[in-house]
Amino acid sequence: MTQPTSHTALDDAQGLAFGAIMCAFGVLILTGAGLVTGQTAGLAVLISYMTGYSFGVVFFLINLPFYALAWFRLGPSFTFKTFACVLAISAVSLVIGDLVVVLPANPAVAAVLFGMIAGAGLLAIFRHRASLGGVGIVAYDLQERLGWRAGWVQLGFDLVLFAVALLVLPANLVLWSLLGAAVLNAIIGINHRSDRYIAT
C-alpha cells in the first residue's frame, strides 16, 4: 500500500491559490445572478447586498474574530493557511469584477456553475489543511467540546441564513441559491474523503 506523503510548501501554495481563485470566481458568478450561498461566505454576500459594501471587504472583516479560536483549537498552521485563503479570496474578489465580465445569467445555470466551481476550489483548500474560516471553525469547536455534530451546526446556520435571505431577496432566487448550495455540498461530500486522498 502506498504510504501517505506530505504536501510541500509549494504544493500548499499552488493548491491554496487555485482554491482561492476558483472560490472568488464562483462568488462572481453567484452574485452576478443575485444569488446567495451558505456559511460565512453566504453571510458576507447577504451583507454586501444589504449594505452595498464589496463582498471582499465584508468577507475579510467577518472572519477576523474566528482566528483566535482556530489558533487554539486547530493550530497555527491551519490558522495561517486559512487566513491566507480568506485574504486571497477577499483580494481577488475586489479586482476580478474588473477583469472578468459576467452577464446576468439564468439563475439555475448560475447556481450549478457556482456549486461546481466553488466546490472545486473548496476541495483544493480542504486538501491542503485549510478552510474559509468562520462558521466551520465554530462548528468544529462545538463538536469537539459539546459533541454537537459539525455538519448539523453548519446546516442550522445555513437554514437561518436562507430564512433571512427570504427577507432580502425574491423567493425564487433563494430557491435557486439552495440548488447552488446543494451542488457545492454534493461535490464536497462525494470527493472529500480521507480513504481516497492520502496526501497530508
Side-chain angles (χ1 to χ4, degrees), residues 21-91:
I21 292 169
M22 292 294 280
C23 286
F25 183 49
V27 170
L28 180 67
I29 293 172
L30 184 85
T31 55
L35 304 179
V36 72
T37 188
Q39 304 300 302
T40 311
L43 178 60
V45 168
L46 198 56
I47 292 173
S48 72
Y49 287 158
M50 297 169 66
T51 65
Y53 291 115
S54 69
F55 165 81
V57 171
V58 176
F59 184 62
F60 180 79
L61 291 176
I62 65 176
N63 266 292
L64 290 177
F66 298 101
Y67 294 122
L69 178 62
W71 181 281
F72 289 111
R73 299 299 296 172
L74 299 167
S77 176
F78 176 90
T79 305
F80 282 129
K81 289 179 185 178
T82 295
F83 177 81
C85 285
V86 171
L87 179 62
I89 290 171
S90 299

Short mmCIF file of all heavy atoms in Angstrom, two decimals, residues 21-91:
data_model
loop_
_atom_site.label_atom_id
_atom_site.label_comp_id
_atom_site.label_asym_id
_atom_site.label_seq_id
_atom_site.Cartn_x
_atom_site.Cartn_y
_atom_site.Cartn_z
N ILE A 21 -8.76 31.36 -5.89
CA ILE A 21 -9.19 31.99 -7.14
C ILE A 21 -10.49 31.37 -7.64
O ILE A 21 -11.40 32.08 -8.11
CB ILE A 21 -8.08 31.89 -8.20
CG1 ILE A 21 -6.89 32.77 -7.77
CG2 ILE A 21 -8.58 32.31 -9.58
CD1 ILE A 21 -5.64 32.55 -8.59
N MET A 22 -10.60 30.06 -7.55
CA MET A 22 -11.83 29.40 -8.00
C MET A 22 -13.02 29.82 -7.16
O MET A 22 -14.12 30.07 -7.68
CB MET A 22 -11.66 27.88 -7.95
CG MET A 22 -10.67 27.34 -8.96
SD MET A 22 -11.22 27.56 -10.67
CE MET A 22 -12.37 26.20 -10.81
N CYS A 23 -12.83 29.93 -5.85
CA CYS A 23 -13.93 30.35 -4.98
C CYS A 23 -14.34 31.79 -5.29
O CYS A 23 -15.54 32.11 -5.32
CB CYS A 23 -13.53 30.22 -3.51
SG CYS A 23 -13.48 28.51 -2.91
N ALA A 24 -13.36 32.67 -5.51
CA ALA A 24 -13.68 34.06 -5.85
C ALA A 24 -14.43 34.13 -7.17
O ALA A 24 -15.39 34.91 -7.32
CB ALA A 24 -12.40 34.88 -5.92
N PHE A 25 -14.04 33.32 -8.15
CA PHE A 25 -14.73 33.30 -9.43
C PHE A 25 -16.15 32.76 -9.26
O PHE A 25 -17.10 33.26 -9.87
CB PHE A 25 -13.95 32.45 -10.44
CG PHE A 25 -14.54 32.41 -11.81
CD1 PHE A 25 -14.93 33.58 -12.46
CD2 PHE A 25 -14.72 31.20 -12.47
CE1 PHE A 25 -15.47 33.55 -13.74
CE2 PHE A 25 -15.26 31.16 -13.74
CZ PHE A 25 -15.64 32.34 -14.38
N GLY A 26 -16.30 31.75 -8.41
CA GLY A 26 -17.62 31.22 -8.13
C GLY A 26 -18.54 32.27 -7.52
O GLY A 26 -19.72 32.39 -7.90
N VAL A 27 -18.01 33.06 -6.60
CA VAL A 27 -18.80 34.12 -5.97
C VAL A 27 -19.19 35.18 -7.00
O VAL A 27 -20.30 35.73 -6.96
CB VAL A 27 -18.04 34.75 -4.79
CG1 VAL A 27 -18.74 36.02 -4.30
CG2 VAL A 27 -17.90 33.75 -3.65
N LEU A 28 -18.29 35.47 -7.96
CA LEU A 28 -18.61 36.42 -9.02
C LEU A 28 -19.81 35.95 -9.83
O LEU A 28 -20.71 36.74 -10.14
CB LEU A 28 -17.40 36.61 -9.93
CG LEU A 28 -17.58 37.58 -11.10
CD1 LEU A 28 -17.75 39.01 -10.58
CD2 LEU A 28 -16.40 37.49 -12.07
N ILE A 29 -19.85 34.67 -10.16
CA ILE A 29 -20.99 34.11 -10.89
C ILE A 29 -22.25 34.16 -10.03
O ILE A 29 -23.33 34.52 -10.49
CB ILE A 29 -20.68 32.66 -11.32
CG1 ILE A 29 -19.55 32.65 -12.36
CG2 ILE A 29 -21.92 31.97 -11.87
CD1 ILE A 29 -19.05 31.28 -12.72
N LEU A 30 -22.09 33.80 -8.76
CA LEU A 30 -23.22 33.78 -7.83
C LEU A 30 -23.86 35.16 -7.71
O LEU A 30 -25.08 35.32 -7.87
CB LEU A 30 -22.73 33.31 -6.46
CG LEU A 30 -23.78 33.13 -5.37
CD1 LEU A 30 -24.42 31.77 -5.49
CD2 LEU A 30 -23.15 33.30 -3.99
N THR A 31 -23.05 36.16 -7.42
CA THR A 31 -23.58 37.50 -7.20
C THR A 31 -24.03 38.15 -8.50
O THR A 31 -24.90 39.02 -8.49
CB THR A 31 -22.54 38.39 -6.49
OG1 THR A 31 -21.31 38.39 -7.24
CG2 THR A 31 -22.26 37.86 -5.08
N GLY A 32 -23.43 37.72 -9.62
CA GLY A 32 -23.88 38.23 -10.91
C GLY A 32 -25.33 37.87 -11.20
O GLY A 32 -26.03 38.59 -11.92
N ALA A 33 -25.77 36.75 -10.63
CA ALA A 33 -27.16 36.31 -10.80
C ALA A 33 -28.04 36.71 -9.62
O ALA A 33 -29.21 36.35 -9.56
CB ALA A 33 -27.20 34.80 -10.98
N GLY A 34 -27.45 37.44 -8.65
CA GLY A 34 -28.23 37.88 -7.49
C GLY A 34 -28.56 36.79 -6.51
O GLY A 34 -29.53 36.89 -5.75
N LEU A 35 -27.72 35.74 -6.46
CA LEU A 35 -27.97 34.60 -5.58
C LEU A 35 -27.14 34.72 -4.30
O LEU A 35 -26.30 35.61 -4.15
CB LEU A 35 -27.62 33.29 -6.31
CG LEU A 35 -28.32 33.04 -7.63
CD1 LEU A 35 -27.85 31.73 -8.25
CD2 LEU A 35 -29.84 33.03 -7.46
N VAL A 36 -27.38 33.81 -3.39
CA VAL A 36 -26.66 33.77 -2.12
C VAL A 36 -26.24 32.33 -1.87
O VAL A 36 -26.71 31.41 -2.55
CB VAL A 36 -27.55 34.32 -0.97
CG1 VAL A 36 -28.66 33.34 -0.62
CG2 VAL A 36 -26.72 34.67 0.26
N THR A 37 -25.36 32.11 -0.92
CA THR A 37 -24.95 30.75 -0.57
C THR A 37 -24.92 30.63 0.95
O THR A 37 -25.33 31.55 1.66
CB THR A 37 -23.59 30.40 -1.20
OG1 THR A 37 -23.31 29.01 -0.98
CG2 THR A 37 -22.47 31.26 -0.60
N GLY A 38 -24.42 29.51 1.44
CA GLY A 38 -24.41 29.27 2.88
C GLY A 38 -23.08 29.64 3.51
O GLY A 38 -22.18 30.19 2.88
N GLN A 39 -22.95 29.34 4.78
CA GLN A 39 -21.74 29.53 5.56
C GLN A 39 -21.33 31.00 5.66
O GLN A 39 -22.12 31.90 5.39
CB GLN A 39 -20.61 28.68 4.99
CG GLN A 39 -20.95 27.20 4.91
CD GLN A 39 -21.27 26.58 6.26
OE1 GLN A 39 -20.46 26.61 7.16
NE2 GLN A 39 -22.45 26.01 6.40
N THR A 40 -20.09 31.25 6.03
CA THR A 40 -19.62 32.62 6.22
C THR A 40 -19.61 33.40 4.91
O THR A 40 -19.91 34.60 4.90
CB THR A 40 -18.20 32.61 6.83
OG1 THR A 40 -18.19 31.73 7.97
CG2 THR A 40 -17.79 33.99 7.28
N ALA A 41 -19.27 32.73 3.82
CA ALA A 41 -19.30 33.40 2.51
C ALA A 41 -20.71 33.88 2.18
O ALA A 41 -20.89 34.99 1.66
CB ALA A 41 -18.78 32.47 1.42
N GLY A 42 -21.70 33.07 2.49
CA GLY A 42 -23.08 33.46 2.24
C GLY A 42 -23.50 34.64 3.08
O GLY A 42 -24.22 35.54 2.61
N LEU A 43 -23.05 34.67 4.33
CA LEU A 43 -23.34 35.81 5.19
C LEU A 43 -22.71 37.08 4.63
O LEU A 43 -23.34 38.15 4.61
CB LEU A 43 -22.82 35.54 6.61
CG LEU A 43 -23.01 36.66 7.63
CD1 LEU A 43 -24.49 37.00 7.82
CD2 LEU A 43 -22.36 36.28 8.96
N ALA A 44 -21.48 36.96 4.13
CA ALA A 44 -20.81 38.12 3.54
C ALA A 44 -21.53 38.60 2.28
O ALA A 44 -21.66 39.81 2.05
CB ALA A 44 -19.36 37.77 3.21
N VAL A 45 -22.00 37.66 1.46
CA VAL A 45 -22.76 38.03 0.25
C VAL A 45 -24.03 38.77 0.65
O VAL A 45 -24.36 39.82 0.07
CB VAL A 45 -23.10 36.78 -0.59
CG1 VAL A 45 -24.14 37.11 -1.66
CG2 VAL A 45 -21.85 36.21 -1.24
N LEU A 46 -24.74 38.25 1.62
CA LEU A 46 -26.00 38.86 2.04
C LEU A 46 -25.76 40.26 2.61
O LEU A 46 -26.51 41.20 2.30
CB LEU A 46 -26.68 37.97 3.08
CG LEU A 46 -28.17 38.20 3.34
CD1 LEU A 46 -28.98 38.08 2.06
CD2 LEU A 46 -28.69 37.22 4.39
N ILE A 47 -24.73 40.41 3.43
CA ILE A 47 -24.41 41.73 3.98
C ILE A 47 -24.03 42.70 2.86
O ILE A 47 -24.41 43.88 2.87
CB ILE A 47 -23.28 41.63 5.02
CG1 ILE A 47 -23.78 40.89 6.27
CG2 ILE A 47 -22.76 43.02 5.41
CD1 ILE A 47 -22.69 40.59 7.29
N SER A 48 -23.30 42.21 1.87
CA SER A 48 -22.91 43.09 0.76
C SER A 48 -24.12 43.55 -0.02
O SER A 48 -24.18 44.70 -0.47
CB SER A 48 -21.90 42.39 -0.16
OG SER A 48 -22.51 41.36 -0.92
N TYR A 49 -25.11 42.67 -0.20
CA TYR A 49 -26.35 43.07 -0.87
C TYR A 49 -27.08 44.16 -0.07
O TYR A 49 -27.61 45.10 -0.62
CB TYR A 49 -27.29 41.87 -1.02
CG TYR A 49 -26.91 40.85 -2.06
CD1 TYR A 49 -27.40 39.55 -1.99
CD2 TYR A 49 -26.09 41.17 -3.13
CE1 TYR A 49 -27.07 38.60 -2.94
CE2 TYR A 49 -25.75 40.22 -4.09
CZ TYR A 49 -26.24 38.93 -3.99
OH TYR A 49 -25.92 37.99 -4.93
N MET A 50 -27.10 43.98 1.24
CA MET A 50 -27.87 44.87 2.10
C MET A 50 -27.20 46.23 2.33
O MET A 50 -27.88 47.22 2.55
CB MET A 50 -28.14 44.19 3.45
CG MET A 50 -28.98 42.93 3.35
SD MET A 50 -29.01 41.96 4.88
CE MET A 50 -29.88 43.08 5.98
N THR A 51 -25.87 46.24 2.29
CA THR A 51 -25.15 47.47 2.63
C THR A 51 -24.50 48.17 1.45
O THR A 51 -24.19 49.36 1.52
CB THR A 51 -24.05 47.17 3.66
OG1 THR A 51 -23.07 46.30 3.06
CG2 THR A 51 -24.64 46.52 4.91
N GLY A 52 -24.26 47.41 0.38
CA GLY A 52 -23.54 47.99 -0.76
C GLY A 52 -22.04 47.87 -0.66
O GLY A 52 -21.32 48.21 -1.60
N TYR A 53 -21.52 47.39 0.48
CA TYR A 53 -20.08 47.16 0.60
C TYR A 53 -19.67 45.95 -0.24
O TYR A 53 -20.47 45.03 -0.45
CB TYR A 53 -19.68 46.94 2.06
CG TYR A 53 -19.82 48.16 2.93
CD1 TYR A 53 -20.73 48.20 3.97
CD2 TYR A 53 -19.03 49.28 2.71
CE1 TYR A 53 -20.87 49.32 4.78
CE2 TYR A 53 -19.16 50.41 3.51
CZ TYR A 53 -20.08 50.42 4.53
OH TYR A 53 -20.21 51.53 5.32
N SER A 54 -18.43 45.93 -0.67
CA SER A 54 -17.98 44.84 -1.53
C SER A 54 -17.89 43.53 -0.73
O SER A 54 -17.58 43.54 0.47
CB SER A 54 -16.61 45.16 -2.13
OG SER A 54 -15.61 45.16 -1.13
N PHE A 55 -18.13 42.43 -1.42
CA PHE A 55 -18.03 41.12 -0.79
C PHE A 55 -16.65 40.91 -0.19
O PHE A 55 -16.52 40.40 0.93
CB PHE A 55 -18.33 40.01 -1.80
CG PHE A 55 -17.90 38.65 -1.34
CD1 PHE A 55 -18.69 37.92 -0.47
CD2 PHE A 55 -16.68 38.11 -1.76
CE1 PHE A 55 -18.28 36.66 -0.02
CE2 PHE A 55 -16.26 36.86 -1.32
CZ PHE A 55 -17.06 36.14 -0.45
N GLY A 56 -15.60 41.27 -0.93
CA GLY A 56 -14.24 41.02 -0.46
C GLY A 56 -13.95 41.66 0.89
O GLY A 56 -13.38 41.03 1.77
N VAL A 57 -14.37 42.90 1.07
CA VAL A 57 -14.14 43.61 2.33
C VAL A 57 -14.95 42.97 3.45
O VAL A 57 -14.42 42.71 4.55
CB VAL A 57 -14.50 45.10 2.18
CG1 VAL A 57 -14.48 45.79 3.54
CG2 VAL A 57 -13.55 45.79 1.21
N VAL A 58 -16.22 42.70 3.19
CA VAL A 58 -17.09 42.13 4.23
C VAL A 58 -16.59 40.74 4.63
O VAL A 58 -16.52 40.41 5.83
CB VAL A 58 -18.55 42.05 3.74
CG1 VAL A 58 -19.43 41.36 4.78
CG2 VAL A 58 -19.08 43.46 3.46
N PHE A 59 -16.24 39.91 3.66
CA PHE A 59 -15.77 38.55 3.93
C PHE A 59 -14.52 38.57 4.80
O PHE A 59 -14.40 37.78 5.75
CB PHE A 59 -15.51 37.83 2.62
CG PHE A 59 -15.12 36.39 2.77
CD1 PHE A 59 -15.99 35.47 3.35
CD2 PHE A 59 -13.89 35.93 2.33
CE1 PHE A 59 -15.63 34.13 3.49
CE2 PHE A 59 -13.52 34.61 2.46
CZ PHE A 59 -14.40 33.71 3.04
N PHE A 60 -13.60 39.47 4.49
CA PHE A 60 -12.36 39.57 5.28
C PHE A 60 -12.67 39.98 6.71
O PHE A 60 -12.16 39.39 7.67
CB PHE A 60 -11.40 40.56 4.63
CG PHE A 60 -10.11 40.71 5.37
CD1 PHE A 60 -9.11 39.77 5.24
CD2 PHE A 60 -9.90 41.80 6.22
CE1 PHE A 60 -7.92 39.90 5.95
CE2 PHE A 60 -8.71 41.93 6.93
CZ PHE A 60 -7.72 40.98 6.78
N LEU A 61 -13.52 40.99 6.88
CA LEU A 61 -13.79 41.53 8.22
C LEU A 61 -14.55 40.55 9.10
O LEU A 61 -14.23 40.42 10.29
CB LEU A 61 -14.57 42.84 8.09
CG LEU A 61 -13.78 44.03 7.51
CD1 LEU A 61 -14.69 45.24 7.36
CD2 LEU A 61 -12.57 44.36 8.37
N ILE A 62 -15.55 39.86 8.56
CA ILE A 62 -16.33 38.99 9.43
C ILE A 62 -15.58 37.73 9.84
O ILE A 62 -15.96 37.05 10.79
CB ILE A 62 -17.70 38.60 8.82
CG1 ILE A 62 -17.52 37.75 7.55
CG2 ILE A 62 -18.54 39.82 8.54
CD1 ILE A 62 -18.85 37.27 6.98
N ASN A 63 -14.47 37.44 9.15
CA ASN A 63 -13.65 36.29 9.54
C ASN A 63 -12.67 36.62 10.66
O ASN A 63 -12.17 35.70 11.32
CB ASN A 63 -12.88 35.74 8.33
CG ASN A 63 -13.62 34.61 7.65
OD1 ASN A 63 -13.77 33.53 8.21
ND2 ASN A 63 -14.11 34.87 6.45
N LEU A 64 -12.40 37.89 10.89
CA LEU A 64 -11.37 38.26 11.87
C LEU A 64 -11.58 37.67 13.26
O LEU A 64 -10.61 37.21 13.89
CB LEU A 64 -11.26 39.79 11.95
CG LEU A 64 -10.67 40.49 10.72
CD1 LEU A 64 -10.70 42.00 10.90
CD2 LEU A 64 -9.24 40.00 10.46
N PRO A 65 -12.81 37.66 13.81
CA PRO A 65 -12.97 37.14 15.18
C PRO A 65 -12.70 35.65 15.33
O PRO A 65 -12.53 35.16 16.46
CB PRO A 65 -14.45 37.44 15.50
CG PRO A 65 -14.87 38.46 14.50
CD PRO A 65 -14.07 38.19 13.28
N PHE A 66 -12.63 34.92 14.24
CA PHE A 66 -12.55 33.46 14.33
C PHE A 66 -11.12 32.92 14.37
O PHE A 66 -10.91 31.74 14.65
CB PHE A 66 -13.30 32.81 13.16
CG PHE A 66 -14.76 33.14 13.13
CD1 PHE A 66 -15.25 34.11 12.26
CD2 PHE A 66 -15.65 32.49 13.97
CE1 PHE A 66 -16.60 34.42 12.23
CE2 PHE A 66 -17.00 32.79 13.94
CZ PHE A 66 -17.47 33.76 13.08
N TYR A 67 -10.12 33.76 14.10
CA TYR A 67 -8.76 33.24 14.01
C TYR A 67 -8.19 32.83 15.37
O TYR A 67 -7.42 31.88 15.46
CB TYR A 67 -7.84 34.27 13.33
CG TYR A 67 -8.21 34.50 11.90
CD1 TYR A 67 -8.54 35.77 11.44
CD2 TYR A 67 -8.24 33.45 10.99
CE1 TYR A 67 -8.90 35.99 10.12
CE2 TYR A 67 -8.59 33.66 9.67
CZ TYR A 67 -8.92 34.93 9.24
OH TYR A 67 -9.28 35.14 7.93
N ALA A 68 -8.56 33.53 16.43
CA ALA A 68 -8.07 33.13 17.75
C ALA A 68 -8.57 31.74 18.11
O ALA A 68 -7.82 30.90 18.62
CB ALA A 68 -8.53 34.15 18.80
N LEU A 69 -9.86 31.48 17.83
CA LEU A 69 -10.42 30.16 18.09
C LEU A 69 -9.71 29.11 17.25
O LEU A 69 -9.37 28.02 17.75
CB LEU A 69 -11.92 30.16 17.78
CG LEU A 69 -12.66 28.84 17.96
CD1 LEU A 69 -12.59 28.38 19.42
CD2 LEU A 69 -14.11 28.98 17.52
N ALA A 70 -9.46 29.42 15.98
CA ALA A 70 -8.76 28.48 15.10
C ALA A 70 -7.36 28.18 15.63
O ALA A 70 -6.90 27.03 15.60
CB ALA A 70 -8.69 29.04 13.68
N TRP A 71 -6.68 29.20 16.13
CA TRP A 71 -5.31 29.02 16.62
C TRP A 71 -5.27 28.03 17.79
O TRP A 71 -4.44 27.11 17.81
CB TRP A 71 -4.76 30.38 17.05
CG TRP A 71 -3.34 30.34 17.56
CD1 TRP A 71 -2.92 29.94 18.80
CD2 TRP A 71 -2.18 30.71 16.84
NE1 TRP A 71 -1.56 30.05 18.90
CE2 TRP A 71 -1.07 30.53 17.71
CE3 TRP A 71 -1.95 31.20 15.55
CZ2 TRP A 71 0.24 30.81 17.32
CZ3 TRP A 71 -0.65 31.48 15.17
CH2 TRP A 71 0.42 31.28 16.04
N PHE A 72 -6.18 28.19 18.74
CA PHE A 72 -6.16 27.34 19.92
C PHE A 72 -6.76 25.96 19.66
O PHE A 72 -6.35 24.98 20.29
CB PHE A 72 -6.90 28.03 21.07
CG PHE A 72 -6.16 29.20 21.63
CD1 PHE A 72 -6.63 30.49 21.45
CD2 PHE A 72 -4.97 29.02 22.33
CE1 PHE A 72 -5.94 31.58 21.96
CE2 PHE A 72 -4.27 30.10 22.84
CZ PHE A 72 -4.75 31.38 22.65
N ARG A 73 -7.72 25.87 18.75
CA ARG A 73 -8.41 24.59 18.53
C ARG A 73 -7.79 23.77 17.40
O ARG A 73 -7.82 22.54 17.44
CB ARG A 73 -9.89 24.84 18.21
CG ARG A 73 -10.65 25.54 19.31
CD ARG A 73 -10.67 24.74 20.60
NE ARG A 73 -11.37 23.48 20.43
CZ ARG A 73 -11.42 22.51 21.33
NH1 ARG A 73 -10.76 22.66 22.46
NH2 ARG A 73 -12.10 21.41 21.11
N LEU A 74 -7.23 24.45 16.38
CA LEU A 74 -6.77 23.74 15.19
C LEU A 74 -5.30 23.96 14.88
O LEU A 74 -4.77 23.33 13.96
CB LEU A 74 -7.62 24.15 13.98
CG LEU A 74 -9.11 23.81 14.13
CD1 LEU A 74 -9.92 24.52 13.06
CD2 LEU A 74 -9.33 22.32 14.04
N GLY A 75 -4.66 24.85 15.62
CA GLY A 75 -3.22 25.01 15.49
C GLY A 75 -2.80 26.15 14.58
O GLY A 75 -3.58 26.63 13.75
N PRO A 76 -1.54 26.60 14.73
CA PRO A 76 -1.06 27.74 13.96
C PRO A 76 -1.00 27.49 12.45
O PRO A 76 -1.27 28.40 11.67
CB PRO A 76 0.32 28.01 14.54
CG PRO A 76 0.70 26.78 15.29
CD PRO A 76 -0.57 26.14 15.73
N SER A 77 -0.60 26.29 12.03
CA SER A 77 -0.50 26.02 10.59
C SER A 77 -1.85 26.17 9.90
O SER A 77 -1.96 26.86 8.87
CB SER A 77 0.05 24.60 10.36
OG SER A 77 0.08 24.31 8.97
N PHE A 78 -2.87 25.54 10.47
CA PHE A 78 -4.22 25.66 9.92
C PHE A 78 -4.67 27.11 9.90
O PHE A 78 -5.26 27.59 8.93
CB PHE A 78 -5.19 24.81 10.74
CG PHE A 78 -6.63 24.92 10.32
CD1 PHE A 78 -7.15 24.08 9.36
CD2 PHE A 78 -7.46 25.89 10.88
CE1 PHE A 78 -8.47 24.18 8.97
CE2 PHE A 78 -8.78 26.01 10.49
CZ PHE A 78 -9.29 25.15 9.53
N THR A 79 -4.39 27.84 10.98
CA THR A 79 -4.83 29.23 11.09
C THR A 79 -4.16 30.11 10.05
O THR A 79 -4.82 30.92 9.39
CB THR A 79 -4.53 29.77 12.50
OG1 THR A 79 -5.12 28.91 13.47
CG2 THR A 79 -5.09 31.17 12.67
N PHE A 80 -2.84 29.95 9.86
CA PHE A 80 -2.14 30.77 8.88
C PHE A 80 -2.64 30.48 7.46
O PHE A 80 -2.84 31.40 6.65
CB PHE A 80 -0.63 30.51 8.95
CG PHE A 80 0.05 31.21 10.09
CD1 PHE A 80 0.89 30.51 10.95
CD2 PHE A 80 -0.13 32.56 10.31
CE1 PHE A 80 1.53 31.14 11.99
CE2 PHE A 80 0.51 33.22 11.36
CZ PHE A 80 1.33 32.51 12.21
N LYS A 81 -2.85 29.20 7.16
CA LYS A 81 -3.33 28.85 5.82
C LYS A 81 -4.75 29.38 5.60
O LYS A 81 -5.08 29.86 4.51
CB LYS A 81 -3.31 27.33 5.64
CG LYS A 81 -1.93 26.72 5.52
CD LYS A 81 -2.03 25.22 5.36
CE LYS A 81 -0.70 24.54 5.37
NZ LYS A 81 -0.83 23.06 5.26
N THR A 82 -5.58 29.28 6.62
CA THR A 82 -6.94 29.79 6.50
C THR A 82 -6.94 31.30 6.31
O THR A 82 -7.67 31.83 5.46
CB THR A 82 -7.76 29.39 7.74
OG1 THR A 82 -7.88 27.96 7.78
CG2 THR A 82 -9.15 30.01 7.71
N PHE A 83 -6.11 32.00 7.10
CA PHE A 83 -6.01 33.45 6.94
C PHE A 83 -5.55 33.80 5.52
O PHE A 83 -6.08 34.74 4.90
CB PHE A 83 -5.03 34.03 7.96
CG PHE A 83 -4.83 35.51 7.81
CD1 PHE A 83 -5.75 36.41 8.35
CD2 PHE A 83 -3.72 36.01 7.14
CE1 PHE A 83 -5.58 37.78 8.21
CE2 PHE A 83 -3.55 37.38 6.99
CZ PHE A 83 -4.47 38.27 7.52
N ALA A 84 -4.58 33.06 5.00
CA ALA A 84 -4.08 33.31 3.65
C ALA A 84 -5.17 33.11 2.61
O ALA A 84 -5.30 33.89 1.66
CB ALA A 84 -2.88 32.41 3.35
N CYS A 85 -5.98 32.07 2.79
CA CYS A 85 -7.08 31.80 1.85
C CYS A 85 -8.12 32.91 1.89
O CYS A 85 -8.59 33.38 0.84
CB CYS A 85 -7.76 30.47 2.18
SG CYS A 85 -6.80 29.04 1.69
N VAL A 86 -8.52 33.30 3.09
CA VAL A 86 -9.52 34.36 3.22
C VAL A 86 -8.99 35.66 2.63
O VAL A 86 -9.70 36.36 1.89
CB VAL A 86 -9.90 34.56 4.70
CG1 VAL A 86 -10.76 35.81 4.89
CG2 VAL A 86 -10.64 33.33 5.22
N LEU A 87 -7.73 36.00 2.91
CA LEU A 87 -7.13 37.21 2.37
C LEU A 87 -7.08 37.15 0.84
O LEU A 87 -7.40 38.14 0.16
CB LEU A 87 -5.72 37.39 2.93
CG LEU A 87 -4.94 38.61 2.44
CD1 LEU A 87 -5.66 39.90 2.82
CD2 LEU A 87 -3.51 38.59 3.00
N ALA A 88 -6.70 35.98 0.30
CA ALA A 88 -6.61 35.85 -1.15
C ALA A 88 -7.98 35.97 -1.82
O ALA A 88 -8.12 36.66 -2.84
CB ALA A 88 -5.97 34.51 -1.51
N ILE A 89 -8.98 35.32 -1.26
CA ILE A 89 -10.32 35.40 -1.84
C ILE A 89 -10.83 36.84 -1.77
O ILE A 89 -11.43 37.34 -2.74
CB ILE A 89 -11.29 34.45 -1.11
CG1 ILE A 89 -10.94 33.00 -1.43
CG2 ILE A 89 -12.74 34.74 -1.49
CD1 ILE A 89 -11.68 31.98 -0.60
N SER A 90 -10.60 37.49 -0.66
CA SER A 90 -11.04 38.88 -0.50
C SER A 90 -10.36 39.77 -1.53
O SER A 90 -11.00 40.61 -2.17
CB SER A 90 -10.74 39.37 0.92
OG SER A 90 -11.43 38.60 1.88
N ALA A 91 -9.03 39.61 -1.69
CA ALA A 91 -8.29 40.44 -2.63
C ALA A 91 -8.71 40.18 -4.07
O ALA A 91 -8.93 41.13 -4.85
CB ALA A 91 -6.79 40.19 -2.46
#
